[in-house]
Amino acid sequence: MSRTAVLVCQGRAAADGRIAPGRFADPTAMILLRPAEREAVEWVRDGAVPDTWRHRVDYETVRATTELMAPRTIAIDDAVRAHPCPQLVILGAGLDGRAWRMPELAGVTVFEVDQPATQQDKRDRAAGLSGTAPTFVPVDFGRDRLPEALAAHGHRADLPTTWIWEGVVPYLTRAEVAATVAGLAAGSATGSRLIVNYQSPSRSARAGRVLARLLTASTGRRSVWANEPWRSTWTPAALAAVLARHGYRVTEDESLLDTARRLDLPVAHARSLGHGRVLVADRD
């Protein structure tokens, strides 16, 4: 499992029931974590700052991720609820728990797309979850064509689809992002919705990632992002132009900082939240 996927799940687990109660909840997150991965989550939930440097870095990393995940998850979930479709596809799903935790998806066919090894690990972790599991669509992103892979597992291109593209875009080149949008468009009937989490250009964000890598290196370990560098950032106008070429009309685009402030959520890392964004685009 990607270490970034684990960190994101740790952030949701730490936020569950603590940040934005009544607006944010993810009871699946803790279950999807291995016992060793839960330790830092419990420190954050209890406000127990560790004494050792290595554990302190883990604590601060999860705590910062917690602040990020609440507005990001709420924004995406709200966009799913506001525009129901009979199909939902989660791209690069990692340890996403929406298929199990969102009652609004009870009558929706949910597909999760990810690397085969990642999905096998996910299946093992999800054994303790109750509810209907998604349809797992294993895809080698460097070799397989997404529309064909989805169709082989029952996705229908003639029905509207909600696509969730969360936490993936920064790790793709601009050409790969454009190619993926083209593939999504090929499987999107009129009435489909695309929800994209992406990063806007930011010098402070790059500096923050360098600092995070140095802090992790000081503990004698490799950074969670060492093998997953950012390859593209986008201005809202540039990403909207790519989507427009494939028939998507942007209806919302908000920074996570604005989302957090609108929801009256705690903000300790304004710069980090400011360059993360959630975009919603519809296919008329």
Side-chain angles (χ1 to χ4, degrees), residues 28-49:
T28 69
M30 191 69 89
I31 297 172
L32 288 168
L33 294 171
R34 303 293 188 191
E37 297 161 353
R38 297 172 188 160
E39 188 173 27
V41 173
E42 296 291 358
W43 295 334
V44 173
R45 291 184 63 84
D46 295 339
V49 181

Side-chain angles (χ1 to χ4, degrees), residues 4-274:
T4 302
V6 171
L7 178 59
V8 165
C9 191
Q10 287 175 311
R12 292 197 307 267
D16 179 38
R18 293 178 59 253
I19 296 181
R23 292 291 284 118
F24 174 87
D26 189 350
T28 69
M30 191 69 89
I31 297 172
L32 288 168
L33 294 171
R34 303 293 188 191
E37 297 161 353
R38 297 172 188 160
E39 188 173 27
V41 173
E42 296 291 358
W43 295 334
V44 173
R45 291 184 63 84
D46 295 339
V49 181
D51 294 329
T52 66
W53 177 246
R54 171 181 278 207
H55 290 163
R56 178 62 183 270
V57 170
D58 292 343
Y59 170 89
E60 295 295 347
T61 301
V62 172
R63 188 172 70 161
T65 305
T66 300
E67 182 184 345
L68 170 74
M69 291 314 302
R72 189 168 106 179
T73 304
I74 291 171
I76 293 172
D77 288 358
D78 283 353
V80 171
R81 296 186 184 103
H83 187 87
C85 289
Q87 303 176 119
L88 173 72
V89 178
I90 306 174
L91 302 165
L95 293 174
D96 191 292
R98 287 184 173 90
W100 292 272
R101 70 171 175 79
M102 289 187 70
E104 296 87 352
L105 300 180
V108 175
T109 304
V110 180
F111 301 88
E112 287 195 359
V113 177
D114 219 324
Q115 299 284 350
T118 296
Q119 289 193 332
Q120 184 55 58
D121 187 18
K122 172 79 169 281
R123 288 173 184 265
D124 294 341
R125 292 168 180 261
L129 293 175
S130 59
T132 303
T135 297
F136 291 98
V137 182
V139 170
D140 181 334
F141 291 103
R143 183 188 64 191
D144 300 330
R145 287 178 53 82
L146 182 59
E148 286 81 351
L150 280 166
H153 286 79
H155 179 262
R156 291 181 53 181
D158 61 326
L159 294 178
T161 299
T162 298
W163 306 87
I164 296 178
W165 203 7
E166 179 183 8
V168 178
V169 170
Y171 305 104
L172 303 178
T173 66
R174 296 178 80 84
E176 289 170 335
V177 169
T180 302
V181 172
L184 302 186
S188 293
T190 299
S192 293
R193 165 162 285 195
L194 173 57
I195 307 165
V196 186
N197 163 234
Y198 69 101
Q199 309 295 324
S200 60
S202 168
R203 291 182 180 179
S204 64
R206 290 197 298 270
R209 287 173 66 82
V210 171
L211 177 60
R213 286 196 292 269
L214 291 174
L215 285 174
T216 304
S218 73
T219 69
R221 293 172 294 176
R222 287 174 62 83
S223 167
V224 66
W225 297 288
N227 296 321
E228 300 175 35
W230 281 2
R231 293 186 169 88
S232 70
T233 56
W234 297 80
T235 65
L239 188 52
V242 172
L243 297 176
R245 288 199 293 270
H246 296 282
Y248 288 103
R249 174 179 53 86
V250 174
T251 57
E252 300 175 38
D253 192 335
E254 184 175 62
S255 76
L256 298 183
L257 178 59
D258 287 341
T259 302
R261 287 173 171 167
R262 175 167 53 81
L263 297 170
D264 198 25
L265 303 182
V267 174
H269 302 85
R271 289 185 179 180
S272 178
L273 289 172

